[in-house]
Amino acid sequence: AQKITQTQPGMFVQEKEAVTLDCTYDTSDPSYGLFWYKQPSSGEMIFLIYQGSYDQQNATEGRYSLNFQKARKSANLVISASQLGDSAMYFCAMRPYNTGNQFYFGTGTSLTVIP
Amino acid sequence: GAGVSQSPSNKVTEKGKDVELRCDPISGHTALYWYRQSLGQGLEFLIYFQGNSAPDKSGLPSDRFSAERTGGSVSTLTIQRTQQEDSAVYLCASSLGPQGANVLTFGAGSRLTVL
């Protein structure tokens, strides 16, 4: 079975501080991709960052980095130097490459950046 | 097109009526996905198309829901005899194909309200 778990329904962070959003996953597929999306209050889903299961290095995209711990099956998103515009829902997703092509999404974490 | 286009952006209908939601993916994207997002909730997978075929229909909640894709491009999600519990935002997403790091690009969604 494929599953994505985000255990933090809501998080608060002070502006300019770093924050980590947790994501764990479960899959029997040895090859998969991990994704993070941001959904502001306007509703659009914005792709942030991707990590492949065989990538040796943790992915980084500007202020976003993915803390990938394969043995623990975790793919936490780290946002550095938080900005007010980072306030949004954040969804972790996984796509197993050999068992269908569905993207599995977590239930999301609501992040609020406090000025 | 430049992005994933969905129409209508908002639809209010009466219980029992049929509705059609349209998705026009990014040109050249062979994979197309439909998701449903109820207020404040995560994404519920409905159906996935690769080209015109739907290898995974497992998420369709009932036989009132159907979807088709023609010409490897536009897709239509049809809900027959709508119920109040069908009220949600229906998100369409497309990707280049079922390989590797091909990310999902989402449309702005169609908000359905069933009275």
Side-chain angles (χ1 to χ4, degrees):
Chain A
Q2 328 286 348
K3 189 175 181 181
I4 291 276
T5 303
Q6 294 180 255
T7 57
Q8 307 156 312
M11 290 281 287
F12 292 86
V13 64
Q14 203 75 39
E15 194 178 6
K16 300 180 185 176
E17 297 292 313
V19 63
T20 298
L21 306 183
D22 294 342
C23 173
T24 58
Y25 60 91
D26 191 18
T27 181
S28 56
D29 198 320
S31 182
Y32 50 89
L34 297 158
F35 305 78
W36 277 91
Y37 284 84
K38 172 184 179 181
Q39 188 178 43
S41 56
S42 54
E44 76 270 30
M45 293 282 284
I46 303 166
F47 165 72
L48 295 178
I49 195 166
Y50 161 82
Q51 178 86 42
S53 57
Y54 291 112
D55 292 344
Q56 297 296 314
Q57 306 265 7
N58 284 345
T60 60
E61 289 287 348
R63 294 185 299 109
Y64 304 109
S65 60
L66 201 152
N67 183 1
F68 179 45
Q69 298 187 43
K70 193 171 183 178
R72 295 181 60 189
K73 294 191 174 180
S74 74
N76 298 339
L77 177 71
V78 181
I79 305 174
S80 62
S82 297
Q83 302 172 354
L84 295 178
D86 294 335
S87 294
M89 282 290 289
Y90 289 81
F91 292 95
C92 179
M94 174 189 65
R95 180 160 71 84
Y97 295 153
N98 298 312
T99 47
N101 286 295
Q102 188 186 143
F103 282 73
Y104 296 84
F105 283 83
T107 51
T109 295
S110 176
L111 177 67
T112 302
V113 180
I114 304 166
Chain B
V4 178
S5 178
Q6 290 189 248
S7 61
S9 54
N10 274 288
K11 175 73 176 179
V12 180
T13 191
E14 292 179 349
K15 178 182 172 181
K17 295 284 179 68
D18 297 352
V19 297
E20 283 190 352
L21 307 177
R22 175 188 166 107
C23 174
D24 197 347
I26 292 173
S27 178
H29 279 196
T30 62
L32 186 147
Y33 299 76
W34 283 99
Y35 290 87
R36 179 167 72 174
Q37 187 175 30
S38 300
L39 187 63
Q41 302 299 308
L43 277 70
E44 175 188 5
F45 169 76
L46 297 178
I47 189 169
Y48 153 68
F49 288 93
Q50 179 57 41
N52 289 338
S53 63
D56 192 345
K57 302 181 183 180
S58 62
L60 293 176
S62 76
D63 59 8
R64 296 187 296 105
F65 287 73
S66 63
E68 65 175 12
R69 188 180 185 193
T70 54
S73 182
V74 172
S75 175
T76 303
L77 176 69
T78 301
I79 309 172
Q80 295 179 306
R81 305 181 303 282
T82 51
Q83 304 293 312
Q84 288 182 331
E85 61 262 29
D86 299 335
S87 296
V89 175
Y90 290 80
L91 292 166
C92 176
S94 69
S95 76
L96 273 173
Q99 298 91 12
N102 290 327
V103 302
L104 285 179
T105 301
F106 282 84
S110 291
R111 180 177 298 278
L112 174 66
T113 303
V114 182
L115 301 177

